[in-house]
Amino acid sequence: MAKHGALLFYHTLSILILTLSLLCRATYDDRKVYIVYLGSLSDGLYSPSSHHLSILQRVVQDSSPENVLVRSYKRSFNGFAARLTDQEREKLSKMKEVVSVFPSRTLQVQTTRSWDFMGFNEKIGRNATVESDIIVGVIDSGIWPESESFKDEGFGPPPKKWKGACEGGKNFTCNNKLIGARYYSSTESARDDTGHGTHTASTAAGNAVRDVSFYGLAQGTARGGVPSARIAAYKVCTPGTLCSAHDTLAAFDDAIADGVDIITASVAFSMIREFHVDPLAIGTFHAMEKGILTSHAAGNNGPSGATVSSVAPWVLTVAASSMDRRIIDKVILGNGRTVMGNSVNSFTLNGTSFPLIHGKNASKNCRETSAGGCEQGCLDSSLVKGKVVLCDKYGLLEAFQSGALGSILPNFRAVDDASYVLPLAGTTINNENYNVVMSYMNSTRDPHVNILKSEVIKNPAAPAVASFSARGPNLILPDIIKPDISAPGIEILAAFSSAPISTTPGDMRRVKYNIQSGTSMACPHAAGVATYVKTFHPDWSPAAIKSSIMTTAWPMNDPSSNVSTGEFAYGSGHINPLKAIDPGLVYDASKEDYIKLLCISYDESRVRLVSGDNSTCPTGPDKGSPKDHNYPSMGAKVTAMQPFTVTFNRRVKNVGNANSTYVAKISPNSKLEIKVVPEVLSFKSLNEEKTFNVTVSGSNLPFESRASASLVWSDGTHGVRSPIVVYTVPRA
């Protein structure tokens, strides 16, 4: 009886322990990681970590603050990440010392010819000594330290201002080129698992490495914009290109305090967020405070309008455009006709022609439409072996895994799309060429094709914005044009890690230099140019560097008036590195200017937390408008089918010749009447500032349309160009 009672006691106890364990587990699982942003760091004797724990102590009920705290931000700004319940989050958001509380969502990661295309060849003038003191911070998926692009031959010790560390993890070594590394994810190293961060880092500041290519394609010298600069890598993305918001904010916290000069960040949200709940806007604001310009990818959600997710005015937002080199592929049909497609196809088929089979005829277990689209599990290996399969949809993975010799895939998007690396002999073709192939197949009982290895051709239409590149208008500040600039982002050859070269499972090929496309590739080009400008003007503010890049850009033209095209696709134009170092005039802006802009959207108490000082916000008519922010471009949203008059107030600083006179020139638009007052600006000294205003009038702009013009201040040597855009939104 006693034995039975003891067994019953222990059985009951074990059930109780299990129940409590499950309750605790359920409570823990109910918690999500939130970022609690507290603004700027306080001066004087202040312990951020202690403060963060004391805040959590006030709201956390069933756990200790130490157990829920994920990370403290305490080097460059103030805040923390913690695992919170909905109730705890609600309590925190009501505290006076808290600016915002928001979930740590996931962000996504978004050259032998590109620099030469911009006239930025290896023989251009450089300040090599100054360049060697510049540090480029790369916030991405890590870096491959063994790459030739990051060797330190000829480099001296890191600059004395460097306060960072090489905390790259196991088997990771820095050097005098790659001077710092940190990682924040659940992995054990700053080593690049995907190749993305290695690619972007080498594009911005990689060494010049000769005779590189991708299986013989795009052969030449791979180099960054500032090959003498140093690199510090901050790994925030894991395999699968997932990057957490709280890790990304931690990388900004460290990079700013470590002493980087320029940041390139090719990570972005898929959706636009208000500044106070956007970790990228927060991190880049505090970088700007410390004189650091951030180059940020516009995103890859184009060509639809209002898709650009990088809209903070203190950031250089970069769109992706083409260069004068295209990589194409040719398909030779059995009737002798050639159709052209887009792919980076490194394979040479051993023969002259091969059987062509349609997906619908290569399946034993799927419906005709599913088989025709080469959907997963539909293709029969015995029916596609030794053959090229034609798919009605983008069935690349199934064609590859079923063992097809090659594949022809549809690409029904814009014809300017980039070519991507394929795991087998294949190509993507547009709708017209797809119909040509189908017509040929229907004309013969024994269709044959040959898919040639890709080749490089001249692209006379460059530069043109990539269809995938995200577009404006700016949904947060509609009167600030985004993106700011376009840069090469299509088919860029740059350094790579030992990761597989394509995203197709089973493709295990590895290369030292790979071809990739995206605004992720455009972003480090702009960062390289910003760094180059900084080597000539180390005392310039981030806004001045940004202005110099925007006002010297090559104009790009778009004859359509659609609201998601033109300046909302390419910003001020295509980046022009050599002109950017001598812009003549700059539209400068300070922290105070950005604070005034924040005052339009946020109350004074919250703005003071962000600024870390006793900033006061104007009220009433003095509150101003985003149109009055001293931005290098001018945009305004107006009411459709109504008369409008818009005024832009601007201020320019003379950074050209001490004694100079600039005359305003307007590129006309029949839909707009534009007046500049004054029309002449005379300067007597360097750094002298002058103000002017631009008034734009018109009427009856249709819904969802855009009218563009430009203002150029010219002294006969410099042309300081600002786009002017008035637009309307779709009918409600």
Side-chain angles (χ1 to χ4, degrees):
M1 187 73 179
K3 185 178 180 181
H4 176 74
L7 288 172
L8 181 62
F9 171 77
Y10 284 116
H11 179 67
T12 304
L13 182 62
S14 64
I15 291 174
L16 180 61
I17 292 170
L18 178 62
T19 302
L20 288 171
S21 174
L22 289 173
L23 284 171
C24 290
R25 175 65 183 270
T27 302
Y28 186 82
D29 286 348
D30 285 342
R31 295 181 177 276
K32 299 176 182 176
V33 177
Y34 286 88
I35 294 170
V36 183
Y37 176 49
L38 305 177
S40 290
L41 286 167
S42 299
D43 295 328
L45 295 174
Y46 171 71
S47 171
S49 297
S50 298
H51 185 207
H52 302 161
L53 289 171
S54 70
I55 290 175
L56 287 170
Q57 186 76 53
R58 285 182 261 166
V59 299
V60 174
Q61 299 291 328
D62 52 22
S63 184
S64 69
E66 291 83 0
N67 286 341
V68 300
L69 181 66
V70 175
R71 180 177 298 278
S72 282
Y73 309 118
K74 55 189 179 182
R75 301 185 69 198
S76 305
F77 46 86
N78 200 357
F80 59 90
R83 294 184 178 88
L84 304 171
T85 64
D86 287 341
Q87 287 181 326
E88 292 163 354
R89 174 195 60 79
E90 187 69 22
K91 289 179 182 178
L92 277 168
S93 65
K94 293 177 180 178
M95 292 183 177
K96 287 186 177 181
E97 66 257 58
V98 173
V99 176
S100 57
V101 182
F102 53 95
S104 176
R105 303 182 187 276
T106 300
L107 297 88
Q108 293 83 35
V109 297
Q110 298 280 317
T111 122
T112 52
R113 178 59 194 164
S114 54
W115 292 112
D116 285 342
F117 168 63
M118 296 184 285
F120 200 58
N121 59 49
E122 291 186 78
K123 296 180 180 178
I124 55 102
R126 294 184 181 275
N127 286 339
T129 302
V130 178
E131 188 174 303
S132 184
D133 282 336
I134 298 288
I135 305 164
V136 179
V138 183
I139 297 178
D140 211 297
S141 65
I143 198 165
W144 196 255
E146 291 82 10
S147 171
E148 289 183 66
S149 291
F150 312 125
K151 301 287 186 186
D152 67 349
E153 184 178 348
F155 282 83
K160 292 181 180 179
K161 64 184 176 183
W162 173 242
K163 299 180 181 66
C166 185
E167 296 177 350
K170 189 177 180 180
N171 298 323
F172 190 103
T173 304
C174 297
N175 57 30
N176 287 331
K177 171 69 175 178
L178 174 60
I179 61 174
R182 299 181 188 271
Y183 63 98
Y184 305 88
S185 59
S186 58
T187 58
E188 298 179 352
S189 170
R191 191 172 291 279
D192 188 3
D193 303 304
T194 68
H196 190 273
T198 302
H199 200 280
T200 58
S202 68
T203 301
N207 298 327
V209 183
R210 308 202 179 282
D211 298 322
V212 302
S213 69
F214 180 84
Y215 292 100
L217 287 170
Q219 189 162 7
T221 298
R223 59 188 172 90
V226 278
S228 295
R230 317 300 179 112
I231 295 172
Y234 301 84
K235 180 180 180 179
V236 299
C237 305
T238 59
T241 62
L242 299 178
C243 326
S244 75
H246 64 275
D247 285 343
T248 302
L249 197 54
F252 275 100
D253 188 30
D254 280 332
I256 296 165
D258 286 346
V260 305
D261 296 286
I262 298 287
I263 292 174
T264 178
S266 290
V267 296
F269 285 119
S270 57
M271 296 183 66
I272 302 158
R273 304 188 185 282
E274 294 279 354
F275 298 147
H276 68 291
V277 293
D278 181 350
L280 288 159
I282 292 168
T284 55
F285 178 86
H286 290 288
M288 174 276 299
E289 274 189 307
K290 295 293 191 285
I292 304 165
L293 176 63
T294 301
S295 178
H296 190 206
N300 296 337
N301 295 322
S304 299
T307 50
V308 58
S309 59
S310 173
V311 295
W314 47 82
V315 167
L316 180 63
T317 303
V318 190
S321 52
S322 60
M323 55 181 167
D324 60 350
R325 180 191 71 196
R326 283 191 65 192
I327 297 176
I328 57 95
D329 204 8
K330 292 177 180 177
V331 177
I332 312 298
L333 305 180
N335 60 7
R337 184 162 182 179
T338 299
V339 297
M340 191 171 78
N342 283 356
S343 73
V344 181
N345 170 29
S346 63
F347 300 94
T348 301
L349 296 180
N350 187 23
T352 56
S353 68
F354 304 88
L356 175 65
I357 187 170
H358 193 267
K360 68 179 183 180
N361 300 320
S363 179
K364 296 177 181 178
N365 62 339
C366 287
R367 292 178 302 168
E368 187 173 291
T369 53
S370 298
C374 302
E375 294 182 10
Q376 194 69 31
C378 283
L379 298 182
D380 189 291
S381 296
S382 64
L383 296 176
V384 299
K385 185 178 181 180
K387 299 176 183 176
V388 175
V389 60
L390 174 68
C391 301
D392 296 334
K393 298 178 182 177
Y394 195 75
L396 173 65
L397 179 61
E398 177 64 6
F400 175 63
Q401 293 185 336
S402 66
L405 180 68
S407 66
I408 301 174
L409 307 162
N411 176 12
F412 297 147
R413 296 185 296 172
V415 295
D416 70 347
D417 274 352
S419 293
Y420 295 94
V421 175
L422 301 186
L424 76 172
T427 193
T428 62
I429 54 177
N430 62 25
N431 192 40
E432 180 182 350
N433 284 333
Y434 172 83
N435 291 332
V436 169
V437 176
M438 282 297 297
S439 177
Y440 163 67
M441 285 193 75
N442 293 332
S443 71
T444 177
R445 294 182 178 179
D446 186 26
H448 277 64
V449 297
N450 191 12
I451 302 176
L452 305 183
K453 181 180 178 180
S454 289
E455 61 182 272
V456 172
I457 65 170
K458 193 79 172 173
N459 180 18
V465 176
S467 64
F468 59 74
S469 191
R471 265 69 167 173
N474 180 341
L475 293 182
I476 305 299
L477 290 173
D479 297 328
I480 300 292
I481 298 173
K482 288 286 181 172
D484 294 308
I485 201 77
S486 86
I490 294 180
E491 298 158 11
I492 305 301
L493 180 69
F496 209 63
S497 70
S498 70
I501 63 175
S502 74
T503 57
T504 308
D507 184 5
M508 303 308 294
R509 292 175 297 159
R510 287 170 166 79
V511 293
K512 293 182 178 180
Y513 289 82
N514 198 5
I515 293 172
Q516 295 198 322
S517 298
T519 55
S520 283
M521 285 64 248
C523 173
H525 278 95
V529 175
T531 307
Y532 180 67
V533 173
K534 193 172 182 68
T535 64
F536 285 86
H537 307 285
D539 58 336
W540 278 11
S541 69
I545 294 173
K546 177 178 172 177
S547 173
S548 71
I549 290 171
M550 292 173 64
T551 61
T552 59
W554 288 321
M556 296 173 70
N557 296 311
D558 190 327
S560 74
S561 60
N562 188 289
V563 74
S564 64
T565 58
E567 289 80 4
F568 291 128
Y570 49 69
S572 294
H574 193 279
I575 201 163
N576 186 349
L578 293 181
K579 288 285 188 182
I581 62 173
D582 184 23
L585 304 174
V586 293
Y587 294 80
D588 208 353
S590 63
K591 174 186 172 181
E592 289 69 29
D593 292 310
Y594 295 115
I595 290 296
K596 186 176 180 181
L597 194 61
L598 290 177
C599 283
I600 297 172
S601 303
Y602 301 103
D603 61 74
E604 187 173 270
S605 61
R606 185 174 289 186
V607 169
R608 285 184 175 184
L609 288 173
V610 174
S611 67
D613 55 31
N614 292 322
S615 298
T616 57
C617 288
T619 57
D622 295 331
K623 195 163 188 176
S625 159
K627 289 189 290 291
D628 295 326
H629 179 66
N630 202 39
Y631 214 66
S633 57
M634 304 175 198
K637 183 176 78 170
V638 299
T639 304
M641 307 307 297
Q642 296 289 328
F644 60 85
T645 298
V646 179
T647 299
F648 303 96
N649 298 304
R650 289 294 188 268
R651 177 182 79 250
V652 287
K653 179 187 290 186
N654 180 26
V655 294
N657 299 318
N659 288 292
S660 54
T661 299
Y662 286 82
V663 178
K665 298 179 180 179
I666 295 291
S667 65
N669 185 311
S670 60
K671 299 176 182 178
L672 303 174
E673 182 179 330
I674 302 174
K675 185 177 182 181
V676 182
V677 178
E679 295 181 336
V680 177
L681 300 176
S682 295
F683 297 91
K684 303 297 183 185
S685 62
L686 286 176
N687 297 318
E688 183 183 355
E689 291 188 314
K690 295 284 186 180
T691 60
F692 65 93
N693 60 65
V694 179
T695 302
V696 183
S697 303
S699 62
N700 299 325
L701 277 183
F703 284 94
E704 200 172 1
S705 66
R706 167 184 56 83
S708 300
S710 65
L711 162 66
V712 178
W713 288 106
S714 176
D715 67 346
T717 301
H718 305 93
V720 188
R721 181 180 174 275
S722 294
I724 302 170
V725 180
V726 179
Y727 72 99
T728 60
V729 296
R731 190 190 301 268

